[in-house]
Amino acid sequence: MEDTKLKTDVLVIGSSAAGLVSALTGKRVYPERKFTVVTRFPKTLIPCGIPYIFGSVGSSDKDILPSEKMFETNNVDMLVDEAESIQLKEKTVRFQSGKVIGYEKLVIGTGSLPIQPQWLKGAGLENVFNVPKNKVYLDEMHEKLKGANKIVTIGAGFIGVEISDELRKAGKDVTLVEKLPRILGLAFDGDISERAEELLKNRGVKILTGASVAEISGNGKVDGVVLENGERIEADAVILSMGYKPNSELAAGAGLPVSDRGFIKVDDYMRTTDPDVFAVGDCAEKRDFITRKPSPVMLASTACAEARIAGMNLFKLSAIKTFIGTISIFSTAIGTTGFGVAGITETQAEAENFDFVTGTFEGIDRHPGALEDTHKQFVKLVVGRESGVILGGEVYGGLSAGELTNTLGIIVQNRMTLNSLLTAQFGTHPLLTASPAGYPLVKAAESAAGKIMFK
Amino acid sequence: MEDTKLKTDVLVIGSSAAGLVSALTGKRVYPERKFTVVTRFPKTLIPCGIPYIFGSVGSSDKDILPSEKMFETNNVDMLVDEAESIQLKEKTVRFQSGKVIGYEKLVIGTGSLPIQPQWLKGAGLENVFNVPKNKVYLDEMHEKLKGANKIVTIGAGFIGVEISDELRKAGKDVTLVEKLPRILGLAFDGDISERAEELLKNRGVKILTGASVAEISGNGKVDGVVLENGERIEADAVILSMGYKPNSELAAGAGLPVSDRGFIKVDDYMRTTDPDVFAVGDCAEKRDFITRKPSPVMLASTACAEARIAGMNLFKLSAIKTFIGTISIFSTAIGTTGFGVAGITETQAEAENFDFVTGTFEGIDRHPGALEDTHKQFVKLVVGRESGVILGGEVYGGLSAGELTNTLGIIVQNRMTLNSLLTAQFGTHPLLTASPAGYPLVKAAESAAGKIMFK
């Protein structure tokens, strides 16, 4: 194929959350520049919606980021193609089609790929799936799962838990296998994750924790999962949800430095070592806001924050538009129960040797309790003992738990202290929140304050 | 009656949100001190729950603050009595029973009283009610309203709107009369209040805005409301919800300075001019966090913040535990739609001559839109043009709008700027929040950023 030479001001590779938002932000800030997004997938999935394709949403067609329309409306060009190589010196990218596009600034948003357990026997059998952000793959998987009754999910992180719950909701016999002692064990402390576990069990998902998989069995097609303790679980289909790894081969191939874990090295402006090349989202290295260590967290929401920062800093740096470090702000829901975390957990605080105290409070999410549909609400705060700074917290409650987690996230981002929480104002309303005298973030702060010198 | 002389370390007058929280906070911080709360109402109502007694909650018995139990658990004494006079020099309070209690520190939490429109003919007729925080009165009113079909509510602030909605829910024919052009017109800008108005109308409440009441008609018992335009509305009962005034007679009688509007003057530690006497809640003067002017806002949530600050500063001042000024953080709900405001509105910003821009975004509160029960979500930010500081904002959405309003409240309290919002991280989840690329606080910030010099 003959090369076609093209030129753009800003070339963005990838159109998921990171690519989309960096292109749209860049165009907002530099409207006179030409932006071109190249993507393998013209129909981009809303990443966090993927588990819900299998139940609540019902079809991947209903989980599409309206990226094409957004690009068109905002005058951003979009091409469907796959990048093969980056030539940093020439400032060009070569694509599978033979196109070569020259750029002034390049944004790499190549995302992540599901971890494929090469070491696991049977992982290649028919009806063994993973969960990539790939509509074609997921549609085929969805179709095949319709014919399966017994499904085993391996790995109880967010994706594993959510997809298990959704498949159970769709009437399947679902077993969730996790090698750690708890589901969602990396995200939450035990006092929260045990509630998630109980809830998921009550909804009919069978859960095996502390259970390592020895092999996936079958003859061509999967027929079961064998655990290391010898137990065998029958399975018509297996879903591997063992995490994701950064998709950084393209960047590494161009000579851009990549971390041990495969993340592209970036500075606080989201620039790689080449000042004209930015990397954002799952493929870019993250540093935790609290621990200041590299963070393996991959979130569409973090990707969007990084993408905004890259977009704003493309042609001129702004010292007040830097990335402050990754704050793990997660939330999930099982039925009408929400779970969330912002900042570090107690488990992480211990592991990292922080000098800290915790404060907890359990109340209800609306008031008075005589109202219908009130939900238990629990908050835990992790607080630096010497500084009083809020290092993180966890939330369990009704469907307002997601936004309550965001309040906590903003508290952590502002490095607010116990004192500022104890004197803070929160709005309350019977139908929407806990009571004014029982607002959980304040009550948990009081509980923590009792454990340190000052009260 | 002969005087009984008693002595306590901290005497708290009033056991609603302000009294309760100041006593419990004080006891937490100074456990060795003796705390005595004197209240007229041993069964304290949860104030913001009062409108819901008439519908969703069903009975005042289910809207009780468990204050008696909380006092007992925390070793705080409670007496039922009514304060008659304070003797500042002697440091004593004289009660109706004849008791005289000496204090070392006094906390006045006497709250507020409904405004009684003396100027309004017919306001004294039978079946004309107001909405005091008085269980006996409200129980009698509730009973009488059961026999009424046609009810007119005068005044469309939060209490008027909420009680009208609840009475309609209970099957009544309800007309809400408001002299301003919009319901909730003092709390929200028109673009939010018009949505509330439409919603309330769709739920069957008749609304007359821009309508002044000339008189309430009836012969002994009310039979109608006559407007200034001559229109007459039939009524079996009328509810006056024309606001509240601080209950500060006791303090004024003791010689403590009180503002023109009747609020007890306090400093940032919630002390009156007498350093041993604190005042908290609706009766205490407030200064707006943004405008720095006296604020007429009365909220249980603000009262709780003030009460915590008084409680912590009783016996020793802490310069980092001061009240920073009242941030109007309101929320309310009509059906499954939530409304909220934090900080100042556009209308207020204009009236006060702030140099500002606004930013708005409308999206949905969960994602993708194919999910059941998604709700339109709208956010407006008011931003200082020169500083980029977020001065306030409004929220319209589903039931998570209350906690989203609190996130906004924390943003305002931290004086966060557009730049910090544009680079901030928020957690998102399909079942709990807007999408990562469409998180409303960030999108509204982008919209505002487009209107000021820097982008």
Side-chain angles (χ1 to χ4, degrees), chain A residues 12-25 44 47 65 107-111 279-284 286 299-308 310-311, chain B residues 437:
Chain A
V12 179
I13 302 174
S15 69
S16 190
L20 173 81
V21 171
S22 58
L24 295 181
T25 304
T44 307
L65 255 174
V107 181
I108 303 174
T110 43
V280 288
D282 290 358
C283 64
K286 285 142 217 347
L299 290 166
S301 49
T302 306
C304 286
E306 294 174 0
R308 276 185 207 103

PDB file of all heavy atoms in Angstrom, chain A residues 12-25 44 47 65 107-111 279-284 286 299-308 310-311, chain B residues 437:
ATOM      1  N   VAL A  12      -4.546  12.743  18.027  1.00  0.00           N
ATOM      2  CA  VAL A  12      -4.910  11.986  19.224  1.00  0.00           C
ATOM      3  C   VAL A  12      -5.123  10.541  18.821  1.00  0.00           C
ATOM      4  O   VAL A  12      -5.900  10.263  17.896  1.00  0.00           O
ATOM      5  CB  VAL A  12      -6.205  12.551  19.866  1.00  0.00           C
ATOM      6  CG1 VAL A  12      -6.599  11.742  21.096  1.00  0.00           C
ATOM      7  CG2 VAL A  12      -6.026  14.029  20.221  1.00  0.00           C
ATOM      8  N   ILE A  13      -4.455   9.643  19.513  1.00  0.00           N
ATOM      9  CA  ILE A  13      -4.632   8.220  19.212  1.00  0.00           C
ATOM     10  C   ILE A  13      -5.513   7.595  20.286  1.00  0.00           C
ATOM     11  O   ILE A  13      -5.142   7.538  21.457  1.00  0.00           O
ATOM     12  CB  ILE A  13      -3.281   7.482  19.134  1.00  0.00           C
ATOM     13  CG1 ILE A  13      -2.405   8.135  18.050  1.00  0.00           C
ATOM     14  CG2 ILE A  13      -3.491   6.002  18.823  1.00  0.00           C
ATOM     15  CD1 ILE A  13      -0.997   7.568  17.982  1.00  0.00           C
ATOM     16  N   GLY A  14      -6.691   7.170  19.861  1.00  0.00           N
ATOM     17  CA  GLY A  14      -7.651   6.579  20.795  1.00  0.00           C
ATOM     18  C   GLY A  14      -8.836   7.506  20.998  1.00  0.00           C
ATOM     19  O   GLY A  14      -8.667   8.733  21.079  1.00  0.00           O
ATOM     20  N   SER A  15     -10.024   6.936  21.082  1.00  0.00           N
ATOM     21  CA  SER A  15     -11.229   7.768  21.233  1.00  0.00           C
ATOM     22  C   SER A  15     -12.095   7.333  22.410  1.00  0.00           C
ATOM     23  O   SER A  15     -13.274   7.610  22.467  1.00  0.00           O
ATOM     24  CB  SER A  15     -12.070   7.754  19.954  1.00  0.00           C
ATOM     25  OG  SER A  15     -12.643   6.468  19.786  1.00  0.00           O
ATOM     26  N   SER A  16     -11.499   6.606  23.362  1.00  0.00           N
ATOM     27  CA  SER A  16     -12.237   6.327  24.591  1.00  0.00           C
ATOM     28  C   SER A  16     -12.157   7.583  25.473  1.00  0.00           C
ATOM     29  O   SER A  16     -11.756   8.643  24.994  1.00  0.00           O
ATOM     30  CB  SER A  16     -11.659   5.092  25.280  1.00  0.00           C
ATOM     31  OG  SER A  16     -12.511   4.675  26.334  1.00  0.00           O
ATOM     32  N   ALA A  17     -12.558   7.469  26.716  1.00  0.00           N
ATOM     33  CA  ALA A  17     -12.633   8.647  27.589  1.00  0.00           C
ATOM     34  C   ALA A  17     -11.425   9.578  27.449  1.00  0.00           C
ATOM     35  O   ALA A  17     -11.567  10.784  27.228  1.00  0.00           O
ATOM     36  CB  ALA A  17     -12.794   8.206  29.042  1.00  0.00           C
ATOM     37  N   ALA A  18     -10.216   9.019  27.527  1.00  0.00           N
ATOM     38  CA  ALA A  18      -9.002   9.841  27.516  1.00  0.00           C
ATOM     39  C   ALA A  18      -8.820  10.570  26.186  1.00  0.00           C
ATOM     40  O   ALA A  18      -8.571  11.774  26.157  1.00  0.00           O
ATOM     41  CB  ALA A  18      -7.786   8.961  27.813  1.00  0.00           C
ATOM     42  N   GLY A  19      -8.927   9.850  25.087  1.00  0.00           N
ATOM     43  CA  GLY A  19      -8.741  10.460  23.773  1.00  0.00           C
ATOM     44  C   GLY A  19      -9.820  11.480  23.473  1.00  0.00           C
ATOM     45  O   GLY A  19      -9.546  12.606  23.036  1.00  0.00           O
ATOM     46  N   LEU A  20     -11.053  11.091  23.736  1.00  0.00           N
ATOM     47  CA  LEU A  20     -12.192  11.982  23.479  1.00  0.00           C
ATOM     48  C   LEU A  20     -12.043  13.303  24.229  1.00  0.00           C
ATOM     49  O   LEU A  20     -12.133  14.381  23.652  1.00  0.00           O
ATOM     50  CB  LEU A  20     -13.482  11.276  23.929  1.00  0.00           C
ATOM     51  CG  LEU A  20     -14.754  12.110  23.903  1.00  0.00           C
ATOM     52  CD1 LEU A  20     -15.327  12.159  22.498  1.00  0.00           C
ATOM     53  CD2 LEU A  20     -15.810  11.551  24.861  1.00  0.00           C
ATOM     54  N   VAL A  21     -11.815  13.195  25.541  1.00  0.00           N
ATOM     55  CA  VAL A  21     -11.804  14.398  26.371  1.00  0.00           C
ATOM     56  C   VAL A  21     -10.578  15.260  26.085  1.00  0.00           C
ATOM     57  O   VAL A  21     -10.664  16.486  26.092  1.00  0.00           O
ATOM     58  CB  VAL A  21     -11.926  14.034  27.868  1.00  0.00           C
ATOM     59  CG1 VAL A  21     -11.696  15.250  28.751  1.00  0.00           C
ATOM     60  CG2 VAL A  21     -13.296  13.426  28.149  1.00  0.00           C
ATOM     61  N   SER A  22      -9.434  14.642  25.773  1.00  0.00           N
ATOM     62  CA  SER A  22      -8.266  15.476  25.461  1.00  0.00           C
ATOM     63  C   SER A  22      -8.497  16.231  24.156  1.00  0.00           C
ATOM     64  O   SER A  22      -8.139  17.410  24.051  1.00  0.00           O
ATOM     65  CB  SER A  22      -6.969  14.660  25.432  1.00  0.00           C
ATOM     66  OG  SER A  22      -7.061  13.624  24.501  1.00  0.00           O
ATOM     67  N   ALA A  23      -9.108  15.580  23.187  1.00  0.00           N
ATOM     68  CA  ALA A  23      -9.370  16.260  21.905  1.00  0.00           C
ATOM     69  C   ALA A  23     -10.385  17.391  22.095  1.00  0.00           C
ATOM     70  O   ALA A  23     -10.179  18.508  21.625  1.00  0.00           O
ATOM     71  CB  ALA A  23      -9.876  15.253  20.874  1.00  0.00           C
ATOM     72  N   LEU A  24     -11.467  17.102  22.804  1.00  0.00           N
ATOM     73  CA  LEU A  24     -12.503  18.134  22.960  1.00  0.00           C
ATOM     74  C   LEU A  24     -12.009  19.296  23.827  1.00  0.00           C
ATOM     75  O   LEU A  24     -12.297  20.456  23.545  1.00  0.00           O
ATOM     76  CB  LEU A  24     -13.780  17.532  23.567  1.00  0.00           C
ATOM     77  CG  LEU A  24     -14.503  16.496  22.694  1.00  0.00           C
ATOM     78  CD1 LEU A  24     -15.756  15.997  23.398  1.00  0.00           C
ATOM     79  CD2 LEU A  24     -14.843  17.059  21.314  1.00  0.00           C
ATOM     80  N   THR A  25     -11.238  18.978  24.864  1.00  0.00           N
ATOM     81  CA  THR A  25     -10.688  20.053  25.703  1.00  0.00           C
ATOM     82  C   THR A  25      -9.697  20.883  24.905  1.00  0.00           C
ATOM     83  O   THR A  25      -9.716  22.121  24.941  1.00  0.00           O
ATOM     84  CB  THR A  25      -9.979  19.468  26.944  1.00  0.00           C
ATOM     85  OG1 THR A  25     -10.896  18.638  27.645  1.00  0.00           O
ATOM     86  CG2 THR A  25      -9.480  20.572  27.863  1.00  0.00           C
ATOM     87  N   THR A  44     -17.363   3.963  20.196  1.00  0.00           N
ATOM     88  CA  THR A  44     -16.648   3.828  21.464  1.00  0.00           C
ATOM     89  C   THR A  44     -17.635   3.507  22.582  1.00  0.00           C
ATOM     90  O   THR A  44     -18.659   4.173  22.722  1.00  0.00           O
ATOM     91  CB  THR A  44     -15.930   5.149  21.810  1.00  0.00           C
ATOM     92  OG1 THR A  44     -15.142   5.527  20.698  1.00  0.00           O
ATOM     93  CG2 THR A  44     -15.058   4.983  23.028  1.00  0.00           C
ATOM     94  N   PRO A  47     -16.849   3.110  29.024  1.00  0.00           N
ATOM     95  CA  PRO A  47     -16.154   1.979  29.634  1.00  0.00           C
ATOM     96  C   PRO A  47     -16.817   1.437  30.898  1.00  0.00           C
ATOM     97  O   PRO A  47     -16.985   0.219  31.046  1.00  0.00           O
ATOM     98  CB  PRO A  47     -14.751   2.516  29.904  1.00  0.00           C
ATOM     99  CG  PRO A  47     -14.830   4.004  29.737  1.00  0.00           C
ATOM    100  CD  PRO A  47     -15.979   4.298  28.864  1.00  0.00           C
ATOM    101  N   LEU A  65     -20.550   5.860  23.692  1.00  0.00           N
ATOM    102  CA  LEU A  65     -20.177   7.266  23.848  1.00  0.00           C
ATOM    103  C   LEU A  65     -20.523   7.959  22.534  1.00  0.00           C
ATOM    104  O   LEU A  65     -20.085   7.497  21.480  1.00  0.00           O
ATOM    105  CB  LEU A  65     -18.657   7.377  24.030  1.00  0.00           C
ATOM    106  CG  LEU A  65     -18.079   7.672  25.392  1.00  0.00           C
ATOM    107  CD1 LEU A  65     -16.559   7.570  25.332  1.00  0.00           C
ATOM    108  CD2 LEU A  65     -18.476   9.051  25.873  1.00  0.00           C
ATOM    109  N   VAL A 107      -1.134  13.123  21.213  1.00  0.00           N
ATOM    110  CA  VAL A 107      -1.692  12.629  22.479  1.00  0.00           C
ATOM    111  C   VAL A 107      -1.937  11.129  22.338  1.00  0.00           C
ATOM    112  O   VAL A 107      -2.672  10.693  21.450  1.00  0.00           O
ATOM    113  CB  VAL A 107      -3.022  13.327  22.834  1.00  0.00           C
ATOM    114  CG1 VAL A 107      -3.568  12.799  24.163  1.00  0.00           C
ATOM    115  CG2 VAL A 107      -2.848  14.840  22.896  1.00  0.00           C
ATOM    116  N   ILE A 108      -1.286  10.369  23.214  1.00  0.00           N
ATOM    117  CA  ILE A 108      -1.463   8.913  23.178  1.00  0.00           C
ATOM    118  C   ILE A 108      -2.503   8.522  24.229  1.00  0.00           C
ATOM    119  O   ILE A 108      -2.311   8.749  25.423  1.00  0.00           O
ATOM    120  CB  ILE A 108      -0.125   8.182  23.467  1.00  0.00           C
ATOM    121  CG1 ILE A 108       0.938   8.624  22.451  1.00  0.00           C
ATOM    122  CG2 ILE A 108      -0.323   6.673  23.437  1.00  0.00           C
ATOM    123  CD1 ILE A 108       2.331   8.077  22.744  1.00  0.00           C
ATOM    124  N   GLY A 109      -3.601   7.962  23.764  1.00  0.00           N
ATOM    125  CA  GLY A 109      -4.665   7.504  24.673  1.00  0.00           C
ATOM    126  C   GLY A 109      -5.049   6.090  24.282  1.00  0.00           C
ATOM    127  O   GLY A 109      -6.200   5.821  23.942  1.00  0.00           O
ATOM    128  N   THR A 110      -4.057   5.224  24.338  1.00  0.00           N
ATOM    129  CA  THR A 110      -4.269   3.864  23.820  1.00  0.00           C
ATOM    130  C   THR A 110      -4.898   2.922  24.850  1.00  0.00           C
ATOM    131  O   THR A 110      -5.156   1.757  24.552  1.00  0.00           O
ATOM    132  CB  THR A 110      -2.933   3.274  23.311  1.00  0.00           C
ATOM    133  OG1 THR A 110      -1.906   3.594  24.255  1.00  0.00           O
ATOM    134  CG2 THR A 110      -2.560   3.877  21.968  1.00  0.00           C
ATOM    135  N   GLY A 111      -5.115   3.419  26.064  1.00  0.00           N
ATOM    136  CA  GLY A 111      -5.891   2.652  27.031  1.00  0.00           C
ATOM    137  C   GLY A 111      -5.210   1.429  27.601  1.00  0.00           C
ATOM    138  O   GLY A 111      -3.983   1.405  27.794  1.00  0.00           O
ATOM    139  N   ALA A 279       0.667  11.664  27.067  1.00  0.00           N
ATOM    140  CA  ALA A 279      -0.020  10.371  27.231  1.00  0.00           C
ATOM    141  C   ALA A 279      -1.041  10.528  28.342  1.00  0.00           C
ATOM    142  O   ALA A 279      -0.771  11.162  29.370  1.00  0.00           O
ATOM    143  CB  ALA A 279       0.968   9.260  27.556  1.00  0.00           C
ATOM    144  N   VAL A 280      -2.219   9.996  28.138  1.00  0.00           N
ATOM    145  CA  VAL A 280      -3.330  10.175  29.090  1.00  0.00           C
ATOM    146  C   VAL A 280      -4.129   8.890  29.234  1.00  0.00           C
ATOM    147  O   VAL A 280      -4.186   8.072  28.321  1.00  0.00           O
ATOM    148  CB  VAL A 280      -4.288  11.295  28.620  1.00  0.00           C
ATOM    149  CG1 VAL A 280      -3.644  12.661  28.773  1.00  0.00           C
ATOM    150  CG2 VAL A 280      -4.744  11.084  27.178  1.00  0.00           C
ATOM    151  N   GLY A 281      -4.726   8.728  30.389  1.00  0.00           N
ATOM    152  CA  GLY A 281      -5.617   7.590  30.624  1.00  0.00           C
ATOM    153  C   GLY A 281      -4.866   6.343  31.065  1.00  0.00           C
ATOM    154  O   GLY A 281      -3.734   6.430  31.573  1.00  0.00           O
ATOM    155  N   ASP A 282      -5.475   5.194  30.868  1.00  0.00           N
ATOM    156  CA  ASP A 282      -4.944   3.934  31.396  1.00  0.00           C
ATOM    157  C   ASP A 282      -3.508   3.641  30.991  1.00  0.00           C
ATOM    158  O   ASP A 282      -2.795   2.947  31.709  1.00  0.00           O
ATOM    159  CB  ASP A 282      -5.809   2.754  30.919  1.00  0.00           C
ATOM    160  CG  ASP A 282      -7.179   2.736  31.570  1.00  0.00           C
ATOM    161  OD1 ASP A 282      -7.447   3.614  32.418  1.00  0.00           O
ATOM    162  OD2 ASP A 282      -7.980   1.841  31.234  1.00  0.00           O
ATOM    163  N   CYS A 283      -3.064   4.156  29.854  1.00  0.00           N
ATOM    164  CA  CYS A 283      -1.712   3.845  29.376  1.00  0.00           C
ATOM    165  C   CYS A 283      -0.647   4.724  30.039  1.00  0.00           C
ATOM    166  O   CYS A 283       0.541   4.440  29.935  1.00  0.00           O
ATOM    167  CB  CYS A 283      -1.627   3.969  27.862  1.00  0.00           C
ATOM    168  SG  CYS A 283      -1.895   5.644  27.247  1.00  0.00           S
ATOM    169  N   ALA A 284      -1.075   5.805  30.727  1.00  0.00           N
ATOM    170  CA  ALA A 284      -0.120   6.763  31.290  1.00  0.00           C
ATOM    171  C   ALA A 284       0.181   6.448  32.750  1.00  0.00           C
ATOM    172  O   ALA A 284      -0.708   6.022  33.492  1.00  0.00           O
ATOM    173  CB  ALA A 284      -0.676   8.181  31.178  1.00  0.00           C
ATOM    174  N   LYS A 286       0.658   6.781  36.653  1.00  0.00           N
ATOM    175  CA  LYS A 286      -0.031   7.570  37.666  1.00  0.00           C
ATOM    176  C   LYS A 286       0.751   7.513  38.970  1.00  0.00           C
ATOM    177  O   LYS A 286       1.403   6.533  39.269  1.00  0.00           O
ATOM    178  CB  LYS A 286      -1.422   6.967  37.920  1.00  0.00           C
ATOM    179  CG  LYS A 286      -2.409   7.270  36.802  1.00  0.00           C
ATOM    180  CD  LYS A 286      -3.307   6.111  36.513  1.00  0.00           C
ATOM    181  CE  LYS A 286      -3.628   5.953  35.033  1.00  0.00           C
ATOM    182  NZ  LYS A 286      -3.317   7.017  34.101  1.00  0.00           N
ATOM    183  N   LEU A 299      -9.049   4.332  35.919  1.00  0.00           N
ATOM    184  CA  LEU A 299     -10.436   4.781  36.031  1.00  0.00           C
ATOM    185  C   LEU A 299     -10.739   5.732  34.884  1.00  0.00           C
ATOM    186  O   LEU A 299      -9.917   6.591  34.555  1.00  0.00           O
ATOM    187  CB  LEU A 299     -10.628   5.540  37.340  1.00  0.00           C
ATOM    188  CG  LEU A 299     -10.584   4.737  38.637  1.00  0.00           C
ATOM    189  CD1 LEU A 299     -10.459   5.672  39.824  1.00  0.00           C
ATOM    190  CD2 LEU A 299     -11.838   3.876  38.762  1.00  0.00           C
ATOM    191  N   ALA A 300     -11.917   5.612  34.320  1.00  0.00           N
ATOM    192  CA  ALA A 300     -12.317   6.536  33.256  1.00  0.00           C
ATOM    193  C   ALA A 300     -12.341   7.962  33.795  1.00  0.00           C
ATOM    194  O   ALA A 300     -12.005   8.919  33.094  1.00  0.00           O
ATOM    195  CB  ALA A 300     -13.683   6.152  32.709  1.00  0.00           C
ATOM    196  N   SER A 301     -12.728   8.101  35.071  1.00  0.00           N
ATOM    197  CA  SER A 301     -12.833   9.444  35.638  1.00  0.00           C
ATOM    198  C   SER A 301     -11.454  10.088  35.788  1.00  0.00           C
ATOM    199  O   SER A 301     -11.261  11.261  35.472  1.00  0.00           O
ATOM    200  CB  SER A 301     -13.564   9.381  36.985  1.00  0.00           C
ATOM    201  OG  SER A 301     -13.010   8.385  37.805  1.00  0.00           O
ATOM    202  N   THR A 302     -10.470   9.301  36.236  1.00  0.00           N
ATOM    203  CA  THR A 302      -9.096   9.807  36.316  1.00  0.00           C
ATOM    204  C   THR A 302      -8.585  10.126  34.910  1.00  0.00           C
ATOM    205  O   THR A 302      -7.931  11.150  34.681  1.00  0.00           O
ATOM    206  CB  THR A 302      -8.183   8.740  36.962  1.00  0.00           C
ATOM    207  OG1 THR A 302      -8.747   8.363  38.206  1.00  0.00           O
ATOM    208  CG2 THR A 302      -6.783   9.254  37.169  1.00  0.00           C
ATOM    209  N   ALA A 303      -8.890   9.229  33.979  1.00  0.00           N
ATOM    210  CA  ALA A 303      -8.479   9.438  32.582  1.00  0.00           C
ATOM    211  C   ALA A 303      -9.003  10.777  32.078  1.00  0.00           C
ATOM    212  O   ALA A 303      -8.290  11.521  31.397  1.00  0.00           O
ATOM    213  CB  ALA A 303      -8.995   8.295  31.712  1.00  0.00           C
ATOM    214  N   CYS A 304     -10.242  11.097  32.418  1.00  0.00           N
ATOM    215  CA  CYS A 304     -10.821  12.367  31.955  1.00  0.00           C
ATOM    216  C   CYS A 304     -10.098  13.560  32.566  1.00  0.00           C
ATOM    217  O   CYS A 304      -9.864  14.559  31.882  1.00  0.00           O
ATOM    218  CB  CYS A 304     -12.309  12.433  32.301  1.00  0.00           C
ATOM    219  SG  CYS A 304     -13.306  11.371  31.257  1.00  0.00           S
ATOM    220  N   ALA A 305      -9.732  13.470  33.844  1.00  0.00           N
ATOM    221  CA  ALA A 305      -9.001  14.570  34.486  1.00  0.00           C
ATOM    222  C   ALA A 305      -7.641  14.746  33.808  1.00  0.00           C
ATOM    223  O   ALA A 305      -7.234  15.863  33.476  1.00  0.00           O
ATOM    224  CB  ALA A 305      -8.846  14.299  35.979  1.00  0.00           C
ATOM    225  N   GLU A 306      -6.961  13.635  33.566  1.00  0.00           N
ATOM    226  CA  GLU A 306      -5.653  13.708  32.880  1.00  0.00           C
ATOM    227  C   GLU A 306      -5.816  14.299  31.480  1.00  0.00           C
ATOM    228  O   GLU A 306      -5.000  15.096  31.024  1.00  0.00           O
ATOM    229  CB  GLU A 306      -5.044  12.307  32.780  1.00  0.00           C
ATOM    230  CG  GLU A 306      -4.680  11.695  34.123  1.00  0.00           C
ATOM    231  CD  GLU A 306      -4.218  10.242  33.980  1.00  0.00           C
ATOM    232  OE1 GLU A 306      -4.192   9.715  32.843  1.00  0.00           O
ATOM    233  OE2 GLU A 306      -3.894   9.632  35.007  1.00  0.00           O
ATOM    234  N   ALA A 307      -6.879  13.876  30.812  1.00  0.00           N
ATOM    235  CA  ALA A 307      -7.117  14.314  29.433  1.00  0.00           C
ATOM    236  C   ALA A 307      -7.383  15.812  29.383  1.00  0.00           C
ATOM    237  O   ALA A 307      -6.925  16.517  28.480  1.00  0.00           O
ATOM    238  CB  ALA A 307      -8.296  13.547  28.845  1.00  0.00           C
ATOM    239  N   ARG A 308      -8.123  16.314  30.366  1.00  0.00           N
ATOM    240  CA  ARG A 308      -8.380  17.759  30.410  1.00  0.00           C
ATOM    241  C   ARG A 308      -7.085  18.522  30.590  1.00  0.00           C
ATOM    242  O   ARG A 308      -6.857  19.564  29.979  1.00  0.00           O
ATOM    243  CB  ARG A 308      -9.320  18.083  31.584  1.00  0.00           C
ATOM    244  CG  ARG A 308     -10.761  17.886  31.236  1.00  0.00           C
ATOM    245  CD  ARG A 308     -11.698  18.308  32.349  1.00  0.00           C
ATOM    246  NE  ARG A 308     -12.896  17.513  32.177  1.00  0.00           N
ATOM    247  CZ  ARG A 308     -13.228  16.462  32.906  1.00  0.00           C
ATOM    248  NH1 ARG A 308     -12.467  16.110  33.927  1.00  0.00           N
ATOM    249  NH2 ARG A 308     -14.306  15.788  32.628  1.00  0.00           N
ATOM    250  N   ALA A 310      -3.980  17.523  29.828  1.00  0.00           N
ATOM    251  CA  ALA A 310      -3.211  17.461  28.585  1.00  0.00           C
ATOM    252  C   ALA A 310      -3.781  18.443  27.567  1.00  0.00           C
ATOM    253  O   ALA A 310      -3.052  19.240  26.972  1.00  0.00           O
ATOM    254  CB  ALA A 310      -3.232  16.042  28.025  1.00  0.00           C
ATOM    255  N   GLY A 311      -5.081  18.423  27.404  1.00  0.00           N
ATOM    256  CA  GLY A 311      -5.728  19.294  26.409  1.00  0.00           C
ATOM    257  C   GLY A 311      -5.444  20.761  26.652  1.00  0.00           C
ATOM    258  O   GLY A 311      -5.186  21.527  25.723  1.00  0.00           O
TER     259      GLY A 311
ATOM    260  N   ALA B 437     -17.035  11.702  31.317  1.00  0.00           N
ATOM    261  CA  ALA B 437     -16.830  12.790  30.351  1.00  0.00           C
ATOM    262  C   ALA B 437     -17.938  13.831  30.446  1.00  0.00           C
ATOM    263  O   ALA B 437     -17.868  14.870  29.802  1.00  0.00           O
ATOM    264  CB  ALA B 437     -16.753  12.225  28.940  1.00  0.00           C
TER     265      ALA B 437
END
